[in-house]
Amino acid sequence: MMKLKYNSYKSIKSYLSIGYIALIFISCANENKSSREHLVFRYNEHSNIASLDPAFAKNQADIWATNQLFNGLVQLDDSLNIQPDIAKDWFISGDALTYTFTLRKGVFFHKHNLFGKDSTRQVNAHDFEYSFGRLLDPQVASPGRWVMNYVENFKALNDTVFSIQLKQPFPAFLGLLTTKYCSVVPKEIVEATGNKFRSHPIGTGPFKFKLWEENTKLVFRKNELYYEKDSEGNALPYLEAVAITFLPDKQSEFLQFVQGNIDFLNSLDASYKDELLTTDGKLQAKYRSRFNMATTPFLNTEYLGFFLESNMPEIQSGAIRKAINYGFDRKKMITYLRNGIGTPALNGFIPKGLPGFTNIEGYNYQPEKAKKLIEQFKKETGINQPEITITTDANYLDLCEYIQREIEKTGLKVNIDVVPPATLRQSKATGKLDAFRASWIADYPDAENYLSLYYSKNFAPNGPNYTHFKNLQFDTWYETASREVNNEKRYRLYEKMDSLIISQAPIIPLYYDQAIRFTKKNVHGLESNPANILSLKRVKKIKGL
């Protein structure tokens, strides 16, 4: 078993002081740093960031960063309603096949010398035609190519009208367009900078790129040309800058938060959960005067996945996969390891809070049944000591160790391999792991998003099917549901697909998550939402608090 260990003091010391980052934004060298403190929002990204190119925004860390830099045709509000973004309005044809978007005027790309010295230009429909085409380009190899699966063609009809033709009706399509994959990028900049666009992006968002020292710091500055305004007509964003650091372990992140060096936490880790929360999930009394806590249902299912094309007999065995599902107590896991934050995944893969969730029968705690299934595997294969290895990152080691202890009581040996988050993501996508810890956060608010993980045409690395699950009946239901515009009928198909996944057990659902955010008292406007989107354009920090 390999474990990663970090020395908190050395980790903090090796990274740039966040206070120093604030100096980047002060135009006058002798200006007092503290007088500008309330204009800089600071957070830590322990999972690191792989790319600032929205075509590669495939995980929460990348999505959070690119959400500050880029816009698309439409966007989600905090209630997951679809709202206009660069498209001011749209029309859907009667057959639900043609979507016609009218772009608003006055949306500009961030300044770049390729537009002219310290200049910019206005976004037009041809930019969306290029950006969508780029997702389909095999040389780009975007992991977001799958969002175009239902698109027949797309075209700029003129500078302000963009049309998309679907192959078939797809009720979730507008939601799909809210993903960061569908952001607009400028052709001349992308083609001139090539691979460097990932680290020197030009978008249209409320903040613009300033500086990135990978693994150390990332800085965004306010976009003075941003088009959105608040209800009183004031320009957004309110902040002058965003500063992101990359301390890799959550204990160091927590210490930075308590010391006032970062402005919010978006996680609950075993290293500090009891220090911060009571056993029933409330903020500890000593922190109530300093911090606010907000929780909301989070469209995220945490799970263990199996790569079904593995050569390991244990991974190929439905009996072993079901035994693991039966072999540990999810309710106990949530109570003691997460202080009650989250809901045990005793139903399907679709999380609570999303239309399409149903109380289908999943796996409850039945250790004796787990033992019988493992004995069945031994008799069928002649393997006296079945064994699996679960790969995780350090942030979820406590959960995996709990499962390890419980499952080994049933007769299955469980090893745990701990790797960096980036390695886990890459290895999972390329089929190098037999069993892995993973999570699926909704890209858009429709249960189809979750079921897409098991559609055979979505095999990773070109889609989200990391398990390489393949079932003809599932594919048939999935394709039927994707064309069904009647919600009731579509949800019934979702239930059938979810039940099939549970019966075949390519995954082990662990829990349906809750978004939990801790903020300093002087932070206002950082709203929670079921998709756990980080939007900083309306955030203010009150000076002096």
Side-chain angles (χ1 to χ4, degrees), residues 3 56 73 168 207 216 230 288 303 416 424 428 439 515:
K3 295 184 180 180
F56 295 89
L73 291 165
Q168 62 189 48
F207 297 92
T216 303
D230 66 16
R288 291 173 192 166
Y303 67 100
I416 299 177
L424 178 61
K428 176 182 66 175
S439 60

Side-chain angles (χ1 to χ4, degrees), residues 205-470:
F207 297 92
K208 57 188 179 182
F209 173 79
K210 174 65 178 179
L211 172 71
W212 189 13
E213 291 184 11
E214 297 195 37
N215 305 311
T216 303
K217 61 183 176 182
L218 176 60
V219 178
F220 302 148
R221 291 290 306 274
K222 177 178 182 176
N223 175 15
E224 303 88 347
L225 301 177
Y226 190 59
Y227 82 90
E228 284 192 274
K229 300 183 184 300
D230 66 16
S231 59
E232 298 179 355
N234 298 310
L236 298 176
Y238 304 121
L239 296 165
E240 286 293 328
V242 178
I244 307 168
T245 50
F246 299 97
L247 292 171
D249 74 318
K250 291 188 176 182
Q251 185 176 26
S252 298
E253 181 181 75
F254 172 67
L255 291 173
Q256 289 289 289
F257 178 64
V258 170
Q259 292 167 10
N261 294 327
I262 57 177
D263 293 308
F264 97 122
L265 280 178
N266 179 70
S267 60
L268 187 65
D269 189 68
S271 64
Y272 61 77
K273 66 179 180 62
D274 295 325
E275 166 70 13
L276 194 54
L277 295 183
T278 62
T279 54
D280 59 351
K282 306 296 183 183
L283 193 62
Q284 293 280 11
K286 65 181 177 180
Y287 291 121
R288 291 173 192 166
S289 64
R290 297 177 57 195
F291 307 133
N292 291 321
M293 183 182 88
T295 60
T296 187
F298 179 19
L299 300 184
N300 172 40
T301 299
E302 295 284 342
Y303 67 100
L304 301 180
F306 300 102
F307 182 62
L308 299 183
E309 293 183 354
S310 167
N311 293 325
M312 293 285 294
E314 291 90 339
I315 302 300
Q316 295 176 357
S317 170
I320 291 291
R321 301 196 304 269
K322 291 177 182 179
I324 301 172
N325 267 295
Y326 283 121
F328 67 100
D329 190 336
R330 292 167 174 81
K331 293 180 180 179
K332 184 177 178 181
M333 179 181 72
I334 292 297
T335 299
Y336 294 106
L337 296 183
R338 290 189 54 81
N339 291 52
I341 302 298
T343 303
L346 300 176
N347 304 107
F349 188 69
I350 300 170
K352 286 188 173 182
L354 192 65
F357 171 84
T358 55
N359 289 310
I360 64 173
E361 184 177 355
Y363 296 95
N364 51 21
Y365 181 45
Q366 298 187 53
E368 294 304 317
K369 192 167 187 176
K371 291 177 183 178
K372 290 178 181 179
L373 287 167
I374 291 171
E375 287 302 318
Q376 173 188 325
F377 172 80
K378 291 179 180 179
K379 291 177 182 178
E380 291 175 350
T381 63
I383 297 174
N384 292 323
Q385 180 54 73
E387 180 178 351
I388 67 165
T389 297
I390 299 171
T391 304
T392 184
D393 59 45
N395 297 312
Y396 292 85
L397 180 59
D398 60 332
L399 290 177
C400 291
E401 287 182 335
Y402 168 75
I403 294 169
Q404 177 191 43
R405 290 192 300 269
E406 295 300 301
I407 296 301
E408 288 191 338
K409 296 174 185 178
T410 67
L412 175 66
K413 184 178 180 181
V414 178
N415 304 305
I416 299 177
D417 186 19
V418 182
V419 299
T423 303
L424 178 61
R425 290 193 297 268
Q426 180 64 24
S427 299
K428 176 182 66 175
T430 53
K432 295 179 180 179
L433 306 177
D434 291 325
F436 50 85
R437 193 227 50 96
S439 60
W440 188 254
I441 301 171
D443 289 313
Y444 50 94
D446 190 282
E448 183 274 341
N449 189 193
Y450 286 85
L451 298 168
S452 68
L453 270 71
Y454 308 102
Y455 184 46
S456 65
K457 294 183 181 179
N458 283 343
F459 276 10
N462 297 317
N465 188 342
Y466 301 111
T467 64
H468 282 207
F469 176 82
K470 185 174 184 179

Side-chain angles (χ1 to χ4, degrees), residues 5 82 154 191 196 214 237 311 404 506:
K5 296 182 179 179
I82 296 168
F154 45 87
E191 295 191 346
K196 291 183 179 180
E214 297 195 37
N311 293 325
Q404 177 191 43

Side-chain angles (χ1 to χ4, degrees), residues 52-54 69-71 108-115 119-121 183-190 193 196-205 207-210:
L52 296 174
D53 183 339
L69 301 173
F70 295 92
N71 298 84
F108 293 90
F109 287 113
H110 303 152
K111 291 180 179 180
H112 195 284
N113 287 337
L114 286 176
F115 294 135
S119 188
T120 183
R121 72 165 175 83
S183 302
V184 67
V185 297
K187 177 179 180 179
E188 58 268 60
I189 307 299
V190 174
T193 57
K196 291 183 179 180
F197 189 75
R198 65 169 287 279
S199 57
H200 292 79
I202 294 294
T204 57
F207 297 92
K208 57 188 179 182
F209 173 79
K210 174 65 178 179

Side-chain angles (χ1 to χ4, degrees), residues 132-144:
F132 279 39
R134 187 167 174 257
L135 294 177
L136 294 171
D137 187 344
Q139 293 188 347
V140 174
S142 168

Side-chain angles (χ1 to χ4, degrees), residues 350 356 358 360 451 473-474 477 489-503:
I350 300 170
T358 55
I360 64 173
L451 298 168
Q473 179 63 79
F474 182 93
W477 284 336
K489 292 180 179 179
R490 191 165 78 256
Y491 295 158
R492 284 202 294 268
L493 287 167
Y494 288 169
E495 181 178 354
K496 289 181 178 181
M497 285 184 276
D498 209 4
S499 295
L500 191 152
I501 290 299
I502 294 303
S503 70

